[in-house]
Amino acid sequence: MLRNVVFVGVASAVVFGITAPAHGADGSGATPNISVTYNIPAVAFDGPGCVEAPINLTYTKSGAAVDDVSATVAIDARYSGSSSSFSRSVYIGYSSAGTATVSDSYLFVCPYEVNDNAGPIGVTGTVESEVFTQTAVTAPISASVLTLAQNPTKLSKPKVKTVSGFVSYREVSGKATAATLTKGVVGAGGNLTLSVKKKGAKKFVEVSTTSADEFGNWNFSYVSTSKLPRGSSFMVTVSECGWCTPAQVTGKIR
């Protein structure tokens, strides 16, 4: 049976996730019969949904009659070393104009595919042209980097409650939200980790994990006082959200 409830003061510093500059991926390539340039705007997440990033492709046919030239531009975007990619091909037909800009293809990117620890997403690819009845010719397109514009995450000042009884424990709770482009401020996604650095220790040690509800409310419950004693510092981290930035907040048990 619980005997009393003690609220422990928390000194806290909120750290906001920082969104990378929202520049797009740009590149070009050419064969003897076609030259192409491409632009893919930054993948701008707007909450937890997937995003279609348009591939804007400008081309010019050359070296043969316009209606004798066709081409395929293959775009490959992936994290370095990953076997999984965001790939798409753009076909330019024989009947297509001699020069034009097309934007009817896109890269489809979902939050669960985002890895904040894997570095940038590199974009490479090829352009393959074919003159009617002749052998196809392939050339690379120049590499670039695709930016992910994630929604900025904010962690509220945590509340720490100590419950004393037959077994004493602490509860650490708070709110994690993200500011979206069109949906306003919503509950952040991802995983929340509670790490503790006891008095005299040199580093934080993970003691518990949880996730927030749809409104961003989170709670680490039944954390033993031996794991979170008075005088210790703690850190709550949001990670692996995909559509929202990583963030952290720290506090101390008084």
Side-chain angles (χ1 to χ4, degrees), residues 134-155:
Q134 297 182 20
T135 303
V137 178
T138 303
I141 58 175
S142 54
S144 60
V145 173
L146 182 63
T147 297
L148 300 179
Q150 297 166 300
N151 301 150
T153 302
K154 178 183 178 181
L155 279 165

Side-chain angles (χ1 to χ4, degrees), residues 128-207:
E128 179 183 86
S129 68
E130 183 175 358
V131 176
F132 188 64
T133 74
Q134 297 182 20
T135 303
V137 178
T138 303
I141 58 175
S142 54
S144 60
V145 173
L146 182 63
T147 297
L148 300 179
Q150 297 166 300
N151 301 150
T153 302
K154 178 183 178 181
L155 279 165
S156 68
K157 180 179 178 180
K159 296 179 180 179
V160 178
K161 181 173 70 173
T162 298
V163 181
S164 298
F166 181 74
V167 177
S168 296
Y169 60 88
R170 305 197 198 283
E171 292 184 349
V172 184
S173 62
K175 194 176 184 72
T177 56
T180 66
L181 297 174
T182 67
K183 301 176 178 64
V185 177
V186 301
N191 298 322
L192 287 115
T193 303
L194 174 65
S195 300
V196 176
K197 184 170 67 174
K198 294 182 179 180
K199 189 175 182 179
K202 294 182 178 180
K203 62 180 182 179
F204 285 92
V205 177
E206 179 181 321
V207 297

Side-chain angles (χ1 to χ4, degrees), residues 194-238:
L194 174 65
S195 300
V196 176
K197 184 170 67 174
K198 294 182 179 180
K199 189 175 182 179
K202 294 182 178 180
K203 62 180 182 179
F204 285 92
V205 177
E206 179 181 321
V207 297
S208 186
T209 60
T210 190
S211 57
D213 65 18
E214 67 270 31
F215 299 102
N217 300 305
W218 52 266
N219 181 44
F220 295 97
S221 57
Y222 301 106
V223 181
S224 67
T225 54
S226 62
K227 289 184 177 181
L228 192 55
R230 290 185 182 274
S232 62
S233 299
F234 67 88
M235 177 170 60
V236 177
T237 304
V238 177

